[in-house]
């Protein structure tokens, strides 16, 4: 199974790299019938492919239209795989999350994965979309009484918005009311997380989920003590 799994993951990545939709959908079918975990198919297959395409684009080896084609193939294959993520049927949500991509940034493949995987794991997720000003994250969080605010940024010139959001929460005296998580492909790491005043960060959805569950559990414990 595992050699076969690795070959399916490679087919998924290659299909994105070659922006070959037919090959991508064939590999998706193989993944589903081969019982490859759909989240792994996305994070280790399709995502590996799109990252390679992004690197080629960054080195000037391919033009933007090719990057766009690859992103479309990734999105179509991802949406099909997400249908197979098993749903958690708990009566009460594990937590409420407001998630979005920061102002100036229109990348949403990552936040769509986070939305689907967190929802399947039992979270109620309000995905407010792309290019969202700091104000909108806070407004939505207040409106739905969120536990977690999650902000995604993919570009070096939009990362600063994650810091602005942390600062805005502090300024309004709301910082302790919410768990604040940051993530996205451009994420520079631990130190940036601290600079944003965030509770935690992740550049992989399954790590994000583990961290979110732990933060929620800690928060519940703290509340129970009070
Ligand atoms: C696909 C893509 C696009 C697509 C986006 C399609 C879409 N619907 O999202 C298109 C073609 C539209 C695009 C456009 C542009 N792009 Co682009 N794009 C990429 C690419 C190749 C992949 C990004 C991606 O989707 N990755 C896959 C997803 C699944 O990964 P992810 O976002 O990291 O998400 C995972 C984790 O981070 C985590 N996560 C995500 N969000 C969150 C949130 C929280 C709270 C947590 C905890 C976790 C978490 O979970 C996810 C799943 O595991 C990257 C390259 C790269 N290596 O990232 C460039 C890249 C980000 N793009 C880049 C650029 C420059 C652009 C453009 C400016 C190009 C242009 N000249 O127009 C525009 C941006 C316009 C704008 N204003 O935003 C640059 C940014 C450079 C920089 N350092 O600033 C990159 C790095 C490419 C490069 N090497 O040059 N892009």
């Amino acid at each position: 199974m595992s050699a076969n799994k690795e070959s399916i993951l490679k087919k998924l990545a290659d299909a994105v790299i070659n922006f070959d939709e037919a090959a991508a959908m064939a590999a998706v079918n193989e993944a589903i019938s081969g019982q490859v975990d759909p989240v792994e198919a996305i994070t280790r297959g399709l995502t590996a492919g799109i990252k390679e395409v992004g690197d080629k684009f960054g080195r000037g080896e391919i033009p933007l239209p090719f990057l766009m084609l690859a992103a479309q193939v990734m999105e179509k294959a991802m949406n099909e795989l997400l249908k197979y993520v098993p749903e958690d049927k708990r009566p009460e949500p594990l937590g409420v999350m407001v998630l979005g991509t920061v102002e100036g940034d229109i990348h949403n493949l990552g936040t769509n994965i986070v939305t689907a995987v967190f929802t399947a794991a039992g979270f109620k997720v309000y995905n407010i979309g792309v290019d969202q000003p700091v104000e909108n994250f806070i407004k939505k969080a207040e409106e739905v009484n969120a536990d977690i605010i999650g902000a995604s940024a993919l570009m070096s010139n939009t990362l600063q918005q994650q810091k602005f959001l942390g600062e805005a929460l502090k300024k309004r005296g709301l910082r302790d009311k919410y768990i604040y998580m940051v993530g996205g492909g451009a994420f520079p790491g631990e130190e940036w997380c601290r600079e944003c005043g965030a509770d935690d960060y992740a550049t992989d959805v399954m790590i994000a989920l583990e961290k979110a569950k732990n933060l929620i559990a800690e928060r519940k414990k703290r509340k129970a003590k009070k």
Side-chain angles (χ1 to χ4, degrees):
M1 162 73 184
S2 87
N4 188 32
K5 179 169 111 181
E6 292 307 317
S7 116
I8 295 172
L9 294 177
K10 185 167 183 324
K11 282 184 194 173
L12 287 163
D14 286 345
V16 173
I17 292 165
N18 300 319
F19 33 88
D20 184 339
E21 188 178 317
M25 297 321 276
V28 164
N29 287 335
E30 264 193 76
I32 292 159
S33 55
Q35 290 181 342
V36 176
D37 172 17
V39 176
E40 203 178 346
I42 293 170
T43 54
R44 289 193 52 224
L46 298 174
T47 302
I50 198 74
K51 285 197 169 147
E52 193 169 325
V53 175
D55 290 346
K56 283 188 180 171
F57 173 74
R59 292 194 297 266
E61 288 166 21
I62 55 162
L64 184 61
F66 287 1
L67 177 66
M68 290 168 80
L69 278 176
Q72 276 168 24
V73 170
M74 160 122 188
E75 187 167 16
K76 191 142 192 239
M78 178 178 110
N79 287 342
E80 192 55 33
L81 283 163
L82 286 175
K83 292 182 190 161
Y84 293 87
V85 177
E87 245 179 75
D88 180 299
K89 298 229 163 48
R90 74 188 70 219
E92 283 287 308
L94 207 54
V96 177
M97 182 185 208
V98 167
L99 175 70
T101 306
V102 299
E103 186 165 11
D105 200 319
I106 57 146
H107 295 86
N108 69 356
L109 294 174
T111 43
N112 287 346
I113 298 172
V114 173
T115 302
V117 171
F118 272 55
T119 304
F123 280 84
K124 171 80 190 148
V125 181
Y126 294 89
N127 183 337
I128 60 171
V130 298
D131 192 16
Q132 291 294 322
V134 159
E135 189 50 42
N136 289 2
F137 285 87
I138 299 177
K139 207 166 122 196
K140 191 72 187 174
E142 288 286 279
E143 180 193 319
V144 302
N145 195 19
D147 299 296
I148 305 179
I149 298 178
S152 187
L154 273 284
M155 299 192 292
S156 29
N157 62 347
T158 56
L159 268 175
Q160 57 190 353
Q161 295 292 333
Q162 293 178 324
K163 191 172 169 186
F164 295 160
L165 179 49
E167 287 168 354
L169 286 169
K170 232 187 208 168
K171 221 183 255 169
R172 307 251 193 110
L174 295 171
R175 183 57 196 86
D176 292 338
K177 188 171 174 189
Y178 300 109
I179 293 165
Y180 178 33
M181 293 184 79
V182 284
F187 203 75
E190 186 74 49
E191 206 174 303
W192 179 248
C193 177
R194 271 197 301 274
E195 217 171 297
C196 293
D199 293 293
D200 220 331
Y201 73 99
T203 52
D204 173 275
V205 66
M206 295 316 285
I207 296 173
L209 182 60
E210 271 320 296
K211 288 184 165 180
K213 282 181 179 169
N214 288 339
L215 287 164
I216 291 266
E218 278 170 25
R219 201 162 102 113
K220 278 197 179 136
K221 248 191 249 165
R222 261 201 319 271
K223 273 189 177 165
K225 267 190 197 159
K226 275 184 189 165

